[in-house]
Every structure is written in C-alpha cells, then in structure tokens.
Amino acid sequence: MNINPFQTAISQLEDAAKVAGTDLDFIEAIKYPDRYVEVTIPLKMDDGTQKIFQGFRAQHNNARGPYKGGIRFHPQVSLDEVRALSFWMTFKNAVVNVPFGGGKGGIIVDPKELSEGELERLSRGYVKKIYPVIGPSFDVPAPDVNTNGKIMGWMLDEYEKITGTKAPATFTGKSLENGGSQGRTEATGFGGGYVLREVLKEHAVELKDNLTVAIQGFGNVATYFAESTAGLNLKIVALSDSKGGVYSELGIDVAAAEAHKKSTGALRGLAGTTEITNEQLLELPVSILVPAAFENVLTAENAARVKAKVILELANGPTSPEADRLFEQKEIVVIPDILANSGGVATSYYEWYQNMHNESWTKEDVLKKLDALMVAAWKSVHETKVKYKTSYRSAAYIVAINRIEEATK
Ligand code: GLU
C-alpha cells in the first residue's frame, strides 16, 4: 500500500487541532515546510565513472529555534518523506521542549553499495550543495537512518573548510573526537526506555506482570532501547532487521543477538530462536510492540491483527491514520514517535549547547538531564491527554501546537 507520509503528518495535525479547537489559519500556516532545497550531487566512483545522486533538505519551521533534524541515506528517500520528517521534527522538538524548529534531509542512495571512500565523497558532496542554508544558528543536521557520527564528522569538516569557520555546532551526533556529546549515541533508545518506564507505571493495572516485548529493527535505536529496558522486568521475545526476525518465547539475550549480528551480518540463525518475518513480528501476541525501523509499517492492512497492548513508536511515522483509528477503538495505548523517540534530538540539543559554550559534560550528567527532560515531556503529554480525553498522539500534538503558536506570536 502506498501511503504518503506527508499526508499522514497533516492528518495527525488536523485531528489534534480539532480536539483542541486551534485557530485554523495557524494550522494551515504550519502544515508546509518554510522551504526545501533539492540538490544534485555528482560522485566520482572508485572505478573512475561518475554517478549522479539526488538529495534534499527540508526546513519546516523555525519559530522556536534553528531548524533541526537528521540526514537519511536510503533508496526510498523522497521529497514527500523528507517534508514529513521535517514536519515531525518541528513537533518533536516542541514536545520535548528544546529550542529548535524542524528540518530533515536525505539522499536517495543505498549506502551498502558504496565503498567507504565513495560514501565520504558523497557526504562531502552533499555539504558542498547545502552549506549556504545550514549553520549553528540556522539549520543543524544530525544522523538518521544509515548515517552516523563518522559521516557527521566528514560533513562538519567539509562545512568548516568551505566556510573558513570553526563551527562544531553546525552538526550534532558527531563522534566524541569530533566534538560529539557523551550519551548521544545511546540517547534515542534510552529516551524511549525512560518514556516506557513512565507508561508502565501509569498503566500498571491494565498491563500486570510477565510483560513481553517485540522490537522491529535492530539498528542504533533498537539496540540501545533493548539495553535500556534491563531494569523494567520485561522479556524481549522478538527482534528483527531488514533480512527478517527472530523469536523466542523464553526471551532473547540482547548481547548475544548483537554478537551474532556482528559476526554473521544478520539476526537470522541466532541460537535458541525461530525465524519469523518482519510482518509476523508486528502481529505477535506481545504486551509491547516497538516499531523501531521505518514509517508506515502499521496500516489498515495489518492493524486488525496487532495484539499488543502498548505500541511505543521509536521509528518516525510507523502508524498510518487508519491504523491509528483502529488502535484507538481497540484501546491500544499508542505512544507517538514525537514523544517516544525525542531523546535523540534532546541530546543533540545538549551537544549543540556544549559546542556553543565550549563545555564537555559527563555521560552520567547527560543521561540524568535526558531522563528528567523525557519525564517532563511525558507528564505534559499525559496531562493533556487526560484534559482533552484524547489519544496520546493528539495530546502530544496539542502540547507542541501550543508551544509553537506561543513562539510564533
Ligand atoms: N534523526 C533523529 C530524529 O529523527 C535525530 C535528529 C537530531 O538529533 O537532530 O529524531
């Protein structure tokens, strides 16, 4: 099914605006990105031939601070995807209350098909094209799907070379040696764990004990989220990567899964597990389902078969509006992406702040601040949900809309 993520984003905003009775002119004005750029990146391949790549940067809204959001390298990147992701960043940054607006970028590429040298030249090539529209107080990119601290390091180096400035706060999610922050790598997954801890406290009566978890995805976010659940008395029974999933009723040892994936390149074949597909994982009879990979995995097509009681969205945009409606009817607790995965960008703010003030905080300090920030975001969303008797998603949007409206005025 072809679902346009930007339409999903707009429909979520309109639902929330209806609940809160927000001024419709304001809603209309914040639907679309302020601007986006589309760039062409010529890349010299190792064999001497040239290939042309297409890239984007969408700048959605900067009422609350510089545009902020990741850069994704993936074959399915499109303008509508980048627009939707930049939109979600505006609302996410407002929910977690960091002084940033929303932006997002991407290149249409399968990075697995590039050598390390080609990947570096492509990353630098992208910056050559977007450098005039980014900067520490204007637009601050970060990693997203298939990008990481090393790529941010190349991009920052290129940016500083072209502009003749020292400006480490232009990119976040950098490695420590390039001015990154302690705790940034863990932050999105850990932040999701902090929110889940609060959700479990709030919904303790319905959820009871012997809670099981299925996680779709096993990248940076999923692995640190899995680690963060250690103290929550949960059993992770399923995990997956792009090649498929693994299931064990007895529970999966995450460290063993990481080691297996590292040595074989996939989760499949992990000792003591049976193989399942990514689709089967979403329909398992678990207490908590955690989509932590891509958008649009929960749709009208499979939503009726979802058995989880809680859905914690660590991916951006995993649930279509039709699926959302069905989950609401079935009283499934959906913790929306713009709250659940906001720990990453919250820690990007800490990194940006440290760069701007030439400070260096300890990991303990960063994670403590992050925990408190996630709890505060959870509380405001939960209170809003109770006040308006609405879904967590609409509540999160209402919190964000109010903060953005205030800043706009
Ligand atoms: N790409 C991450 C996200 O979707 C982090 C963005 C950032 O740190 O700017 O939230």
Side-chain angles (χ1 to χ4, degrees), residues 127-181:
V127 173
K128 282 196 183 100
K129 294 298 170 80
I130 64 154
Y131 83 87
V133 297
I134 61 171
S137 44
F138 190 70
D139 182 358
V140 183
D144 195 74
V145 174
N146 289 333
T147 52
N148 54 30
K150 190 188 225 175
I151 292 175
M152 293 307 112
W154 292 330
M155 289 189 173
L156 174 61
D157 182 58
E158 192 63 34
Y159 180 84
E160 292 185 329
K161 255 201 269 187
I162 296 173
T163 57
T165 56
K166 179 86 191 149
T170 309
F171 292 85
T172 61
K174 304 178 294 289
S175 57
L176 290 177
E177 55 276 19
N178 282 321
S181 174

Coordinates of all heavy atoms in Angstrom, one line a residue, residues 127-181:
V127 N 27.2 18.3 1.4 CA 27.5 19.6 2.1 C 27.9 20.7 1.1 O 27.5 21.9 1.3 CB 28.6 19.4 3.2 CG1 29.0 20.7 3.8 CG2 28.1 18.4 4.2
K128 N 28.7 20.4 0.1 CA 29.0 21.4 -0.9 C 27.8 22.0 -1.5 O 27.8 23.2 -1.9 CB 29.8 20.7 -2.1 CG 31.2 20.4 -1.8 CD 32.1 20.2 -3.0 CE 33.5 19.8 -2.7 NZ 33.7 18.4 -2.7
K129 N 26.7 21.3 -1.6 CA 25.4 21.8 -2.2 C 24.5 22.5 -1.1 O 23.7 23.3 -1.5 CB 24.7 20.7 -2.9 CG 25.4 20.2 -4.1 CD 25.6 21.3 -5.2 CE 26.5 20.9 -6.3 NZ 25.9 20.1 -7.3
I130 N 24.5 22.0 0.1 CA 23.6 22.6 1.1 C 24.2 23.6 2.0 O 23.5 24.2 2.8 CB 22.8 21.5 1.9 CG1 23.7 20.7 2.8 CG2 21.9 20.6 1.0 CD1 23.0 20.2 4.0
Y131 N 25.6 23.8 2.0 CA 26.2 24.6 3.0 C 25.6 26.0 3.1 O 25.5 26.6 4.2 CB 27.7 24.7 2.8 CG 28.2 25.7 1.8 CD1 28.5 27.0 2.2 CD2 28.4 25.3 0.5 CE1 28.9 27.9 1.2 CE2 28.8 26.2 -0.5 CZ 29.0 27.5 -0.1 OH 29.4 28.5 -1.0
P132 N 25.1 26.7 2.0 CA 24.6 28.0 2.2 C 23.4 28.1 3.1 O 23.0 29.1 3.6 CB 24.3 28.5 0.8 CG 25.0 27.6 -0.1 CD 25.1 26.2 0.6
V133 N 22.6 26.9 3.2 CA 21.4 27.0 4.0 C 21.5 26.4 5.4 O 20.5 26.2 6.0 CB 20.2 26.4 3.2 CG1 19.9 27.2 2.0 CG2 20.4 24.9 2.9
I134 N 22.7 25.9 5.8 CA 22.8 25.4 7.2 C 23.8 26.2 8.0 O 24.4 27.1 7.5 CB 23.3 23.9 7.2 CG1 24.6 23.7 6.5 CG2 22.2 23.0 6.4 CD1 25.2 22.4 6.7
G135 N 23.9 25.9 9.3 CA 24.8 26.7 10.2 C 24.3 26.6 11.6 O 23.1 26.3 11.8
P136 N 25.1 26.8 12.6 CA 24.8 26.6 14.0 C 23.5 27.3 14.5 O 22.9 26.8 15.4 CB 26.0 27.1 14.8 CG 27.1 27.3 13.8 CD 26.5 27.3 12.4
S137 N 23.3 28.5 14.0 CA 22.1 29.1 14.5 C 21.0 29.2 13.4 O 20.0 29.9 13.6 CB 22.4 30.5 15.0 OG 23.2 31.2 14.1
F138 N 21.2 28.4 12.3 CA 20.1 28.4 11.3 C 19.5 27.1 11.0 O 18.3 26.9 11.0 CB 20.7 29.0 10.0 CG 19.6 29.3 9.0 CD1 18.6 30.3 9.2 CD2 19.4 28.5 7.9 CE1 17.6 30.5 8.4 CE2 18.3 28.7 7.0 CZ 17.4 29.7 7.2
D139 N 20.4 26.1 10.7 CA 19.9 24.7 10.5 C 21.0 23.7 10.9 O 22.1 23.8 10.3 CB 19.4 24.6 9.0 CG 18.8 23.2 8.7 OD1 18.8 22.3 9.6 OD2 18.5 22.9 7.6
V140 N 20.6 22.8 11.8 CA 21.6 22.0 12.4 C 21.3 20.5 12.1 O 20.5 19.9 12.8 CB 21.7 22.2 13.9 CG1 22.8 21.3 14.6 CG2 21.9 23.7 14.2
P141 N 21.9 19.9 11.1 CA 21.6 18.5 10.8 C 22.3 17.5 11.8 O 23.1 17.9 12.7 CB 22.2 18.3 9.4 CG 22.5 19.6 8.8 CD 22.7 20.5 10.0
A142 N 21.9 16.2 11.7 CA 22.3 15.2 12.6 C 22.2 13.8 11.9 O 21.6 13.8 10.7 CB 21.4 15.2 13.8
P143 N 22.5 12.7 12.5 CA 22.3 11.4 11.9 C 20.9 11.0 11.8 O 20.1 11.5 12.6 CB 23.1 10.5 12.7 CG 24.0 11.3 13.6 CD 23.3 12.6 13.8
D144 N 20.5 10.1 10.9 CA 19.2 9.5 10.9 C 19.5 8.1 10.3 O 20.6 7.6 10.4 CB 18.3 10.3 10.0 CG 16.8 9.9 10.2 OD1 16.2 10.3 11.2 OD2 16.2 9.3 9.3
V145 N 18.5 7.5 9.6 CA 18.7 6.2 9.1 C 20.0 6.1 8.2 O 20.1 6.9 7.2 CB 17.4 5.8 8.2 CG1 17.7 4.4 7.5 CG2 16.2 5.7 9.1
N146 N 20.8 5.1 8.5 CA 22.1 4.9 7.7 C 23.1 6.0 7.7 O 24.0 6.0 6.9 CB 21.8 4.5 6.2 CG 21.1 3.2 6.1 OD1 21.3 2.3 6.9 ND2 20.3 3.0 5.0
T147 N 23.0 6.9 8.6 CA 24.1 7.9 8.8 C 24.5 7.8 10.3 O 23.8 7.4 11.1 CB 23.7 9.3 8.4 OG1 22.5 9.6 9.1 CG2 23.4 9.5 6.9
N148 N 25.8 8.3 10.5 CA 26.3 8.1 11.9 C 27.3 9.2 12.2 O 27.5 10.2 11.4 CB 27.0 6.7 12.0 CG 28.0 6.5 10.9 OD1 28.6 7.5 10.4 ND2 28.2 5.3 10.5
G149 N 28.0 9.1 13.3 CA 29.0 10.1 13.8 C 30.1 10.3 12.8 O 30.6 11.4 12.7
K150 N 30.5 9.2 12.2 CA 31.7 9.4 11.2 C 31.2 10.3 10.1 O 32.0 11.2 9.7 CB 32.0 8.0 10.7 CG 33.3 7.9 10.0 CD 33.4 6.5 9.4 CE 34.8 5.9 9.6 NZ 34.9 4.5 9.1
I151 N 30.0 10.0 9.6 CA 29.5 10.8 8.4 C 29.3 12.3 8.8 O 29.7 13.2 8.1 CB 28.2 10.2 7.9 CG1 28.5 8.8 7.2 CG2 27.5 11.1 6.9 CD1 27.3 8.0 6.8
M152 N 28.9 12.5 10.1 CA 28.7 13.9 10.6 C 30.1 14.5 10.7 O 30.2 15.7 10.4 CB 28.1 13.9 12.0 CG 26.6 13.5 12.0 SD 25.5 14.3 10.8 CE 25.1 13.0 9.7
G153 N 31.1 13.8 11.0 CA 32.5 14.3 11.1 C 33.0 14.8 9.7 O 33.5 15.9 9.6
W154 N 32.7 13.9 8.7 CA 33.1 14.3 7.3 C 32.3 15.6 6.9 O 32.9 16.5 6.3 CB 32.8 13.2 6.3 CG 33.6 12.0 6.4 CD1 34.9 11.9 6.8 CD2 33.1 10.6 6.1 NE1 35.3 10.6 6.8 CE2 34.2 9.8 6.4 CE3 31.9 10.1 5.6 CZ2 34.2 8.4 6.2 CZ3 31.9 8.7 5.4 CH2 33.0 7.9 5.7
M155 N 31.1 15.6 7.2 CA 30.2 16.7 6.8 C 30.7 18.0 7.5 O 30.8 19.1 6.9 CB 28.7 16.5 7.1 CG 28.2 15.4 6.2 SD 26.4 15.3 6.3 CE 25.9 14.2 5.0
L156 N 31.0 17.9 8.8 CA 31.4 19.1 9.5 C 32.7 19.6 8.9 O 32.9 20.8 8.7 CB 31.6 18.8 11.0 CG 32.2 19.9 11.8 CD1 31.3 21.2 11.8 CD2 32.4 19.5 13.3
D157 N 33.7 18.7 8.7 CA 35.0 19.1 8.1 C 34.8 19.8 6.8 O 35.4 20.9 6.6 CB 35.8 17.8 7.9 CG 37.2 18.1 7.4 OD1 37.9 18.9 8.1 OD2 37.6 17.7 6.3
E158 N 33.9 19.3 6.0 CA 33.7 19.9 4.7 C 33.1 21.3 4.9 O 33.5 22.3 4.2 CB 32.7 19.0 3.8 CG 32.6 19.4 2.4 CD 33.9 19.3 1.6 OE1 34.7 18.4 1.9 OE2 34.1 20.1 0.7
Y159 N 32.1 21.4 5.8 CA 31.4 22.7 6.1 C 32.4 23.7 6.6 O 32.5 24.9 6.1 CB 30.3 22.5 7.1 CG 29.6 23.8 7.4 CD1 28.6 24.3 6.6 CD2 30.0 24.6 8.5 CE1 27.9 25.4 6.9 CE2 29.3 25.8 8.8 CZ 28.3 26.2 8.0 OH 27.7 27.4 8.2
E160 N 33.3 23.3 7.5 CA 34.3 24.3 8.0 C 35.3 24.7 7.0 O 35.8 25.8 7.0 CB 35.0 23.6 9.3 CG 34.0 23.5 10.5 CD 34.6 23.0 11.8 OE1 35.6 22.2 11.7 OE2 34.1 23.4 12.8
K161 N 35.7 23.7 6.1 CA 36.6 24.0 5.1 C 36.0 25.1 4.1 O 36.7 26.1 3.8 CB 37.0 22.8 4.3 CG 38.4 22.2 4.6 CD 38.9 21.3 3.5 CE 38.5 19.9 3.8 NZ 38.9 18.9 3.0
I162 N 34.8 24.8 3.7 CA 34.2 25.7 2.7 C 33.9 27.1 3.3 O 34.2 28.1 2.6 CB 32.8 25.2 2.2 CG1 33.0 23.8 1.5 CG2 32.1 26.1 1.3 CD1 31.7 23.1 1.1
T163 N 33.5 27.1 4.5 CA 33.1 28.4 5.1 C 34.3 29.1 5.8 O 34.1 30.3 6.2 CB 31.9 28.3 6.1 OG1 32.4 27.4 7.1 CG2 30.7 27.8 5.5
G164 N 35.4 28.4 6.0 CA 36.5 29.0 6.7 C 36.2 29.4 8.1 O 36.7 30.3 8.7
T165 N 35.3 28.6 8.7 CA 35.0 28.8 10.1 C 35.2 27.6 11.0 O 35.4 26.5 10.5 CB 33.5 29.2 10.3 OG1 32.7 28.1 9.7 CG2 33.1 30.4 9.6
K166 N 35.3 27.8 12.3 CA 35.3 26.7 13.2 C 33.9 26.7 13.8 O 33.5 27.6 14.5 CB 36.3 26.9 14.3 CG 36.4 25.9 15.4 CD 37.3 24.7 14.9 CE 37.1 23.5 15.8 NZ 37.4 22.3 15.1
A167 N 33.1 25.7 13.4 CA 31.6 25.8 13.8 C 31.1 24.4 14.1 O 30.2 23.8 13.4 CB 30.8 26.4 12.7
P168 N 31.6 23.7 15.2 CA 31.2 22.4 15.5 C 29.7 22.2 15.8 O 29.2 21.1 15.5 CB 32.0 22.0 16.8 CG 32.5 23.3 17.4 CD 32.6 24.2 16.2
A169 N 29.1 23.3 16.2 CA 27.6 23.1 16.5 C 26.8 23.1 15.2 O 25.5 23.1 15.3 CB 27.2 24.3 17.4
T170 N 27.4 23.1 14.0 CA 26.6 23.0 12.8 C 26.0 21.6 12.6 O 25.0 21.5 12.0 CB 27.5 23.3 11.6 OG1 28.2 24.5 11.8 CG2 26.8 23.4 10.3
F171 N 26.7 20.6 13.2 CA 26.1 19.2 13.1 C 26.1 18.6 14.5 O 27.0 18.9 15.3 CB 27.0 18.3 12.2 CG 27.0 18.7 10.8 CD1 27.8 19.7 10.3 CD2 26.1 18.1 9.9 CE1 27.8 20.1 8.9 CE2 26.1 18.5 8.5 CZ 26.9 19.4 8.1
T172 N 25.1 17.8 14.8 CA 25.2 17.1 16.1 C 25.2 15.6 15.7 O 25.1 15.2 14.6 CB 24.0 17.4 17.0 OG1 22.8 17.0 16.3 CG2 23.9 18.9 17.4
G173 N 25.4 14.8 16.8 CA 25.5 13.3 16.6 C 26.9 13.0 16.1 O 27.1 12.0 15.4
K174 N 27.9 13.9 16.3 CA 29.2 13.7 15.9 C 29.9 12.6 16.9 O 29.4 12.4 18.0 CB 30.0 15.0 16.0 CG 29.4 16.1 15.2 CD 30.2 17.4 15.3 CE 30.2 18.1 16.7 NZ 28.9 18.6 17.1
S175 N 31.0 12.1 16.4 CA 31.7 11.2 17.3 C 32.4 12.0 18.4 O 32.6 13.2 18.2 CB 32.7 10.3 16.6 OG 33.6 11.1 15.9
L176 N 32.8 11.4 19.5 CA 33.4 12.2 20.6 C 34.6 13.0 20.2 O 34.8 14.1 20.5 CB 33.7 11.3 21.8 CG 32.5 10.7 22.5 CD1 33.0 9.7 23.6 CD2 31.7 11.8 23.1
E177 N 35.5 12.4 19.4 CA 36.7 13.1 19.0 C 36.4 14.3 18.0 O 37.3 15.1 17.9 CB 37.7 12.1 18.4 CG 37.3 11.2 17.2 CD 36.6 9.9 17.6 OE1 36.1 9.8 18.8 OE2 36.5 9.1 16.8
N178 N 35.2 14.3 17.4 CA 34.9 15.4 16.6 C 34.0 16.4 17.3 O 33.3 17.2 16.7 CB 34.2 15.0 15.3 CG 35.1 14.4 14.3 OD1 36.2 14.9 14.1 ND2 34.7 13.3 13.7
G179 N 33.9 16.3 18.7 CA 33.1 17.3 19.4 C 31.7 16.8 19.7 O 30.8 17.6 20.1
G180 N 31.5 15.5 19.6 CA 30.2 15.0 19.9 C 30.0 15.0 21.4 O 30.9 15.3 22.2
S181 N 28.7 14.6 21.8 CA 28.4 14.6 23.3 C 28.4 13.1 23.8 O 28.0 12.2 23.1 CB 27.1 15.2 23.5 OG 26.7 15.0 24.9

